[in-house]
Amino acid sequence: MCGIVGYIGKDNATRALISGLYRLEYRGYDSAGIALLTKDNIFLKKVAGRVSELDNAIRDRVPDASIGIAHTRWATHGVPNDINAHPHTDCEKRFAVVHNGIIENYRTLKKFLEKKGHRFETDTDTEVIPHLIEEFYDNDLMSAVKKACSYFKGTYGLAIISLANPDCLVVTRMGSPLVIGKGKDEYIVASDLAAIISYTDKVIYLNDGDVAEIHPDRLRIESREFGPVAPEIERVTLSLEQIERGGYKHFMLKEIYEQPVILRDTIRGRLNYEEGIARLHGIANYIEKLRDAERIIIIACGTSWHAGLIGEYMIESLAEIPVEVEYSSEFRYRRPVLKKGTICIVVSQSGETADTLAALREAKRHGATVLGICNVVGSSIARETDAGIYIHAGPEIGVASTKAFMAQIMTFALLSLLLGRLRRLPVDEGRDIINAIRRIPDQIQSLLEELPGQIKELARTFKDHRNFLYLGRGYNFPVALEGALKLKEISYIHAEGYPAAEMKHGPIALIDKNMPVVVIAIKDAIYDKVISNIEEIRTRQGIVIAVGSEGDSQLKKNVDHIIYVPKTLDHLYPLLTILPLQLLAYYIADFRGLDVDKPRNLAKSVTVE
Ligand code: M6R
């Protein structure tokens, strides 16, 4: 949700900033802007639209500068136009600021500043920031920023430049991510690593409340609460290849095709066949607590919430621990009853989702142990949880989550195996699960070779339908939810996911000869019940696209289209049944000519409420 980037050093700042913005564009893409510090003024350019439009607008028309900041926006306050785009400045244009987050009390601050004579030009919350810095500035940018921050309620990642302090860049954060990359006589700061790794692999993660004053050859960090902080430099292993499209038309397609490889990464070193158990070192110190938990609450948003639902089914059936799954945004604002013996697990691909981060903090405030299932190493959620499991999916750039979902499900498969074995499963059953888990990456690989032709055909047939229904039961009910979410977020076709049996309690009214219904009907414990649900659809002339188990020739006779997936254990089927639904959503969106990786109104990580 908004990408910010800042540069100070020996290189051409514009180059670093624009290439950084391209890499951060998946975070928000409705407008973009840049501010460069020159000898006499702050050069400013802001445009509505994509980074490429900013790039075109300034090409060959920018001054030389070695300090600057830039922004790619996902609008919250103020429509996406040139004026509301960042950077924002003060009355005299001596300070420029880029911001990721929301200043919740901006109306009060604006009134206060207007009374003092400040003039505002935009409808944004952000504009109060440079004005407040201007108000408090007394020859020291870092002090003015610290003082201004003490007035803000809300979240922010900020980068600030000032005409009066031309040799430094000041950055700070509260609730929004910010990473500082350290090069040789240069620093590049950004919302995430993607904008940094072509410059350096040495990074410093700022903590909430930290303010950094950065010069080309040194930096100073202070915590607003605790005073000076010694910078901790970490080395990152992310490679450029991982964040490039590598010949695929879209990141989403690349990420779908990466799934066999990333699942091997998710399980690598975590299975012990001899003992029929999984090993999860990240939570090693909490295993007994988990084993003896009276209740587990899984907290997440969006696709991660769907993975949490599958986790609930897995943990309850394999380990017999009661599990609930909560939306982060609901959990954080109600009064959760967290008795001793309750463990919370927050799930997040980005590790920066504002509601999930707030829910984590709320759970901790109630004294709960909070574990994480996270993808982005070093992210806020990964750092604030008591312990956690990384899913090892690598950078996910496509806004529609695919490989992270798979890796989250696999992580729950490992966790439920571990807890199941510690509580009730015999070793042989553990070994059967391990065998089935090990087969999954190859099974997905084969599907990726077999399915695309068939799914493209289906996508061509159905691309102009306005509504879809997705049905599944048991472990595959959350897959139906996720299939529907994928379709609506990238193709803008209305789609609903339902537990198949719930259909007759309402959604059945939607079914007629124009309604495609995607039904996951694999040969699991409730197969016969799903077949009855299919009959109910067919009786009303709905079009059934079934995902079935290979070899189920009977099913083929009862449906209009069938996609087969190989056999596995019931609780592992979601890892296979989601694949055709991801591909179907992708090809429908692509045939509709839509921007699959940057769907309208969305952003990759939702760092505002
Ligand atoms: O980074 P997180 O897993 O916390 O993100 C949660 C949701 O915002 C995310 O899954 C969203 O629903 C995706 N666009 C789904 O494709």
Side-chain angles (χ1 to χ4, degrees), residues 171-243:
V171 298
T172 183
R173 66 162 275 181
M174 179 62 73
S176 298
L178 204 83
V179 194
I180 302 174
K182 181 185 180 333
K184 187 162 172 358
D185 292 334
E186 63 181 352
Y187 284 91
I188 180 157
V189 300
S191 304
D192 68 51
L193 292 173
I196 293 180
I197 53 163
S198 57
Y199 277 80
T200 178
D201 62 352
K202 290 189 205 139
V203 301
I204 299 149
Y205 293 99
L206 271 197
N207 287 314
D208 272 353
D210 285 357
V211 189
E213 182 188 270
I214 309 174
H215 299 260
D217 56 349
R218 66 187 189 283
L219 96 164
R220 176 165 72 97
I221 302 180
E222 277 186 25
S223 149
R224 286 204 282 122
E225 214 178 328
F226 308 111
V229 173
E232 275 179 39
I233 298 177
E234 296 181 31
R235 278 196 185 263
V236 291
T237 51
L238 198 63
S239 71
L240 268 182
E241 200 184 33
Q242 285 176 284
I243 56 165

Side-chain angles (χ1 to χ4, degrees), residues 300-306 328 347-354 356 373 376 381 396 398-402 404 408 482 485-486 489-490 599 602-606:
C301 303
T303 288
S304 298
W305 186 82
H306 296 156
S328 313
V347 188
S348 174
Q349 184 286 128
S350 62
E352 301 294 349
T353 300
T356 307
I373 293 184
V376 177
I381 290 174
E396 192 178 62
V399 167
S401 184
T402 51
Q408 288 166 341
E482 175 62 8
L485 177 64
K486 286 293 85 94
E489 69 181 338
I490 59 171
L602 290 175
K604 183 66 184 164
S605 58
V606 184

Side-chain angles (χ1 to χ4, degrees), residues 1 16 32 76 104 106 111 143 242 246 278 295 348 356 404 474 482 484 525 592:
M1 198 116 303
T76 59
E104 288 166 4
Y106 81 100
K111 268 192 206 135
S143 300
Q242 285 176 284
R295 175 179 173 230
S348 174
T356 307
E482 175 62 8
R592 287 165 68 85

Side-chain angles (χ1 to χ4, degrees), residues 492-503:
Y492 319 145
I493 294 172
H494 171 244
E496 296 212 36
Y498 258 92
E502 272 294 302
M503 183 186 59

